[in-house]
Amino acid sequence: SRRGGCMDYKTWDEFWAKFLQITFHVQNPERWPSRERRAQWCLSHLGVDSGSKILNVGCGDGVLDICFSRLGMDVTAVDRNPSVLLHAKTEDDTRRVNFVVSDLRDLNLPSGSFQSALFLECSGLVKKEQDLQLFKNIYEWLRPGGKLIVDCPLSEELSGSWSKVFPEGELTFNHSFEPKTRMFRIEPSFKDLSGHIFGLMDPLRDSLPGLSRYYYPKAEITSMLESVGFSVRDADRHYYGEKYFAVLAEK
């Protein structure tokens, strides 16, 4: 952990990834049913058959990928947090998901390897040129006719805060959204059972504590995908409802 000002900080690998992506959700009875519905939503757009090869970049806890595998898909799921993917492997009852630990900016895969790809809940976490390079890479990794789904939130309430108590301690989230810059920031803090409070320091976009994310307008992300070579159309209503949009890009 690191200290900055009056606050101690821990990185994603030290604490936050496993806590936010596993501990926070693991007791939620909707954890698996919601991912099963999300898998069906994705497959309705991708139009793939059993045995198809799907790439999920920024897979998080891997539950969605296990749902795909249960439906007969051959899934490669990539995320940068080893502790989260290690847990995902214990939950994979199919033993067929290929979990890959890698920063998406460093990921290197063979050309033409996949029929489909997903980039969900991850756009805008890095700089625009880095997202654009990932889209170029995904284009190369897809087979001709392959499809990619990309999504992004439309907006957020301007600011807010909430807390939740866990057996391990108390989590507090402060968040804010600036409409002019379309930047969303979250600054989580955690008070453990000893009373020690620490925040998150492992940013992808900048050197600030917490997490910053740029919310792409649909027209901008569509233009980026088209510049790579994709043809793009709107996806059907997002599984999160009207606060998100999704586009379907085809090679």
Side-chain angles (χ1 to χ4, degrees):
S1 62
R2 289 173 277 181
R3 179 177 294 274
C6 298
M7 174 77 79
D8 282 344
Y9 295 95
K10 292 188 178 182
T11 67
W12 285 106
D13 290 343
E14 289 172 327
F15 175 80
W16 287 103
K18 189 172 182 179
F19 184 81
L20 291 179
Q21 294 182 310
I22 299 172
T23 306
F24 187 90
H25 297 286
V26 73
Q27 299 300 325
N28 183 354
E30 273 293 297
R31 182 174 182 244
W32 284 93
S34 66
R35 305 305 175 82
E36 291 165 356
R37 292 191 295 270
R38 192 180 307 180
Q40 292 293 346
W41 180 87
C42 291
L43 293 177
S44 72
H45 289 85
L46 298 174
V48 293
D49 300 320
S50 179
S52 296
K53 295 182 180 297
I54 297 177
L55 171 66
N56 187 6
V57 286
C59 68
D61 63 11
V63 172
L64 177 63
D65 309 288
I66 297 168
C67 292
F68 284 130
S69 185
R70 289 176 177 176
L71 294 170
M73 305 300 154
D74 184 357
V75 189
T76 297
V78 185
D79 204 274
R80 65 191 288 257
N81 298 306
S83 61
V84 176
L85 294 193
L86 184 63
H87 185 269
K89 288 181 180 180
T90 69
E91 295 195 290
D92 179 18
D93 51 5
T94 72
R95 297 293 185 267
R96 290 186 4 190
V97 180
N98 178 27
F99 290 108
V100 177
V101 178
S102 176
D103 189 306
L104 300 184
R105 294 167 293 185
D106 303 324
L107 185 61
N108 186 18
L109 296 168
S111 298
S113 300
F114 303 94
Q115 279 105 331
S116 304
L118 303 172
F119 188 50
L120 302 177
E121 301 182 50
C122 294
S123 61
L125 289 173
V126 295
K127 296 177 180 179
K128 179 178 177 178
E129 57 267 26
Q130 294 171 328
D131 274 341
L132 181 60
Q133 183 60 55
L134 179 63
F135 294 157
K136 291 178 180 178
N137 293 342
I138 292 173
Y139 187 88
E140 290 299 318
W141 299 333
L142 285 173
R143 299 174 183 175
K147 296 176 181 178
L148 163 68
I149 301 177
V150 183
D151 69 358
C152 191
L154 289 166
S155 64
E156 289 282 351
E157 59 183 295
L158 296 184
S159 62
S161 179
W162 54 267
S163 297
K164 183 177 176 63
V165 176
F166 295 84
E168 299 86 351
E170 182 177 9
L171 171 69
T172 299
F173 252 61
N174 294 300
H175 67 268
S176 61
F177 179 67
E178 173 50 60
K180 289 183 179 180
T181 62
R182 300 188 64 84
M183 290 300 300
F184 177 61
R185 282 196 55 77
I186 59 171
E187 295 187 60
S189 62
F190 191 81
K191 182 165 72 172
D192 64 23
L193 298 180
S194 70
H196 177 222
I197 300 175
F198 55 88
L200 166 64
M201 177 67 81
D202 195 9
L204 292 172
R205 286 190 62 94
D206 49 44
S207 59
L208 299 173
L211 183 68
S212 298
R213 184 179 183 186
Y214 174 65
Y215 283 2
Y216 286 102
K218 186 191 297 184
E220 184 176 10
I221 211 162
T222 296
S223 176
M224 292 168 64
L225 290 163
E226 288 176 340
S227 74
V228 169
F230 286 108
S231 60
V232 184
R233 64 175 176 85
D234 289 354
D236 294 336
R237 187 176 186 270
H238 197 278
Y239 49 82
Y240 283 154
E242 300 301 328
K243 290 187 176 182
Y244 269 69
F245 72 84
V247 295
L248 182 66
E250 183 172 354
K251 180 173 178 176

